[in-house]
Amino acid sequence: MQNVEKLNIGYVRLFSISSSFLEKIGGLDELPGRLVAVKGKIVEYISTVKKDDFVMMRSLVLSLSEIYSLLDPKSRGTLPTTVLSHVSIGISFINSNAGDTFNAEICGEIVQAIFELFLLSSPQKAHDELTRAQYIVSYFVALHDLSTRIATVDCKMIRKLFQENAKSWSASIYGEIVDELVHISFPATDYSQGRYIEALACLITLGGSEHYAFLVKKMSLICCSLVLGLGKITSSKLFLKILHMFESVLKEQPSLVSPLVFEQMSILLIVSTSRSGPSFIDEYDIDEVYLSLCSVTSTVLLSFSKFLRGHHNLVIRLLQNLLYPLCVPRLIGSNRRIEKSIQNHWKRAAWLSRTSACSASCALAYSRLISNFCEPPARSWKDSRKRILADSHGTSSFSLSSAAGVSRRALSKHAPYLLVEYCYANLNYNFDPDTRQALTQGIYTLFDSLGQNELKIANAALDEAARAIFKTAYGDYLKFGKWHEI
């Protein structure tokens, strides 16, 4: 390491050890001036460093980070263009030298460190707040893309830094940036648009009551745009990004999900699992796509059960669609497929080929979905305790058992049609033995939720061939799945 590099780093770290030590060597009052002087020397030296000397550049940028973390905002000043220019240099090197892992990882560190410096620095006088925010979003998107290829770029750290900076934006700037991201990203058709979805997810999940009404409207607009454009999506990576964004919103900002947004999300999931959904042209893992869909659906069922009343038909349609990726189309002879099976292929999602089927792990996830749907989660402990105390004082006649009864009665009107779909799926398709075994517990849970009247409805909706399958499944349930008192 060169002497200048040693001097700069040593000098900076000397001032960041502790305040007590600084008092002994000259007092805290002199610290800001000394740090500003060192900062100027480092910036001046950066302009003389060769573009391909990435080791030296990393050391200098990290030294600047040490200084910026110690200085107050007014003393930091703007970040010189000589430092910012190394962002494009580093990204260009990474994109054109994929085989040079050592230098690519160093460049990743440099680009991330300059991002932190830019967020800490003062804005350029020529730039207004909106322009700076747009630059930060573009920088974040570029870094997030690098994080998928370069190990030294910390995705969680840059996300945290981005969200912390976005909290300082005014409401008008926040609204304009979100509007721009929605306009760029949706309706999404290719992966290049999906690059901005992660930034949009970060801003939506940021929170803040001042943005609530605005974001609820935007969520509705995003859902509508996606439903209309799902059939045009050809990138599996883009589709998975969209699902990840929705799952983040559902978990981190559940208050943004209104009854209207709940309906739109349900329709979005239904279309995604139908022939009208996305059809991918890149390489992808069907299990990954299926499990992502199940994860979002599970979050919807567990966290928003209050919206299920009046929407059971949507969930049943979604569960029916999710059943068919687990099926294996039947063959006749050794080469030719049954024509009827080809005709029934319209029930399977567009991202499935005519011969593909998801694995047993996906069937387990599907069984858990049925359990979540047929056995809604209990109310929170605090909510339950309040209602029980109210009952004990005679102020309410509500009980947990009555709530469960209402939920079961609402479910029983629609659940038979899921059982009917399962019987016809068995009639027209095959299931791998492991998949069938994984589905067993879910089907038993479905039988548990049905009374005799509902079973009669399911039986009456079947033709003779499907009725034989129903009879076999119900017999297995009575023998192996139903609980019997001893």
Side-chain angles (χ1 to χ4, degrees):
M1 186 182 288
Q2 298 182 19
N3 292 332
V4 177
E5 183 183 6
K6 288 182 178 180
L7 176 62
N8 284 334
I9 296 175
Y11 196 21
V12 170
R13 289 181 177 173
L14 178 66
F15 291 111
S16 61
I17 298 173
S18 67
S19 58
S20 59
F21 182 74
L22 291 171
E23 289 176 348
K24 294 180 181 179
I25 63 171
L28 289 174
D29 294 338
E30 300 179 10
L31 175 61
R34 294 183 181 183
L35 289 178
V36 170
V38 175
K39 184 193 75 170
K41 291 292 184 182
I42 293 177
V43 171
E44 182 181 343
Y45 186 68
I46 285 176
S47 62
T48 66
V49 176
K50 295 180 179 180
K51 291 183 178 180
D52 58 350
D53 192 353
F54 299 120
V55 175
M56 172 63 76
M57 187 63 198
R58 176 180 59 182
S59 300
L60 294 172
V61 170
L62 292 177
S63 297
L64 275 181
S65 296
E66 293 274 358
I67 292 174
Y68 271 63
S69 64
L70 292 171
L71 288 172
D72 61 87
K74 293 182 179 180
S75 301
R76 291 170 188 161
T78 59
L79 192 63
T81 54
T82 53
V83 179
L84 284 173
S85 63
H86 284 270
V87 175
S88 58
I89 294 172
I91 293 177
S92 298
F93 180 86
I94 292 171
N95 291 333
S96 58
N97 298 273
D100 191 350
T101 306
F102 175 75
N103 282 317
E105 290 186 349
I106 293 177
C107 287
E109 288 185 72
I110 293 171
V111 174
Q112 179 172 329
I114 295 177
F115 179 66
E116 297 178 32
L117 285 173
F118 184 78
L119 296 182
L120 290 172
S121 65
S122 303
Q124 297 281 350
K125 292 182 179 180
H127 294 168
D128 57 16
E129 187 181 357
L130 178 60
T131 304
R132 179 178 170 83
Q134 290 170 334
Y135 183 85
I136 290 172
V137 169
S138 300
Y139 203 152
F140 169 78
V141 170
L143 266 176
H144 191 269
D145 283 347
L146 290 181
S147 68
T148 60
R149 295 176 287 156
I150 307 299
T152 52
V153 180
D154 189 344
C155 181
K156 292 183 178 179
M157 176 58 71
I158 61 175
R159 180 187 174 99
K160 180 181 178 182
L161 291 171
F162 176 65
Q163 287 189 314
E164 287 178 352
N165 183 266
K167 290 178 181 178
S168 64
W169 298 350
S170 65
S172 60
I173 296 299
Y174 177 89
E176 287 194 51
I177 293 296
V178 171
D179 274 334
E180 287 183 9
L181 291 175
V182 171
H183 179 73
I184 293 172
S185 303
F186 304 106
T189 54
D190 55 48
Y191 185 66
S192 61
Q193 292 173 285
R195 298 172 68 244
Y196 293 91
I197 290 179
E198 184 63 29
L200 180 61
C202 287
L203 295 179
I204 291 177
T205 57
L206 191 61
S209 57
E210 67 275 15
H211 307 310
Y212 174 75
F214 168 77
L215 288 177
V216 169
K217 293 179 181 179
K218 287 301 168 187
M219 284 300 301
S220 179
L221 176 62
I222 291 170
C223 289
C224 287
S225 299
L226 279 173
V227 170
L228 295 174
L230 268 178
K232 299 179 181 179
I233 294 178
T234 57
S235 169
S236 61
K237 294 179 180 179
L238 171 61
F239 183 65
L240 291 173
K241 275 183 175 291
I242 292 171
L243 292 179
H244 175 70
M245 181 192 76
F246 278 114
E247 189 167 14
S248 298
V249 172
L250 291 171
K251 290 181 177 179
E252 298 178 33
Q253 289 293 331
S255 60
L256 297 180
V257 182
S258 63
L260 175 61
V261 172
F262 177 85
E263 288 182 8
Q264 292 171 329
M265 279 192 175
S266 300
I267 295 171
L268 174 67
L269 292 170
I270 290 171
V271 176
S272 298
T273 53
S274 72
R275 295 303 297 172
S276 301
S279 180
F280 309 132
I281 59 175
D282 57 346
E283 293 185 4
Y284 62 98
D285 181 1
I286 59 173
D287 282 5
E288 183 182 7
V289 174
Y290 187 90
L291 291 173
S292 296
L293 286 165
C294 285
S295 180
V296 177
T297 306
S298 178
T299 304
V300 169
L301 293 178
L302 292 175
S303 302
F304 302 95
S305 55
K306 61 183 178 180
F307 293 145
L308 284 179
R309 174 177 285 186
H311 298 104
H312 286 91
N313 58 323
L314 294 177
V315 180
I316 289 293
R317 180 70 266 175
L318 175 57
L319 292 176
Q320 288 173 333
N321 286 359
L322 285 171
L323 176 63
Y324 284 97
L326 306 173
C327 303
V328 181
R330 288 181 176 171
L331 300 175
I332 185 171
S334 58
N335 299 316
R336 192 165 61 86
R337 190 183 311 282
I338 299 177
E339 292 300 323
K340 288 185 178 179
S341 185
I342 294 177
Q343 293 171 5
N344 286 332
H345 183 62
W346 67 270
K347 291 188 176 182
R348 287 158 56 85
W351 42 270
L352 289 167
S353 69
R354 291 185 175 180
T355 58
S356 61
C358 295
S359 65
S361 61
C362 296
L364 284 173
Y366 184 76
S367 289
R368 287 193 293 269
L369 279 182
I370 295 178
S371 298
N372 292 338
F373 181 58
C374 296
E375 299 173 356
R379 295 174 179 270
S380 65
W381 180 84
K382 290 183 178 180
D383 187 42
S384 302
R385 188 170 183 273
K386 287 180 181 178
R387 292 183 179 276
I388 292 171
L389 288 174
D391 288 345
S392 65
H393 289 87
T395 58
S396 172
S397 60
F398 181 86
S399 66
L400 292 177
S401 59
S402 66
V406 170
S407 178
R408 281 184 175 274
R409 285 193 295 273
L411 170 64
S412 64
K413 297 177 182 179
H414 304 274
Y417 301 103
L418 179 57
L419 188 57
V420 168
E421 199 74 25
Y422 172 76
C423 293
Y424 278 116
N426 273 274
L427 186 63
N428 297 315
Y429 297 89
N430 289 331
F431 288 97
D432 287 333
D434 292 341
T435 299
R436 187 180 297 278
Q437 181 63 33
L439 282 174
T440 300
Q441 188 55 51
I443 300 304
Y444 288 168
T445 304
L446 186 59
F447 274 119
D448 281 336
S449 67
L450 301 177
Q452 289 302 313
N453 290 334
E454 287 74 31
L455 291 173
K456 290 179 181 178
I457 292 173
N459 189 59
L462 298 168
D463 60 21
E464 186 176 352
R467 200 169 289 145
I469 295 173
F470 172 80
K471 184 177 180 181
T472 301
Y474 187 61
D476 291 342
Y477 162 71
L478 292 177
K479 187 175 181 180
F480 303 110
K482 185 177 177 62
W483 181 79
H484 298 280
E485 292 187 13
I486 300 177

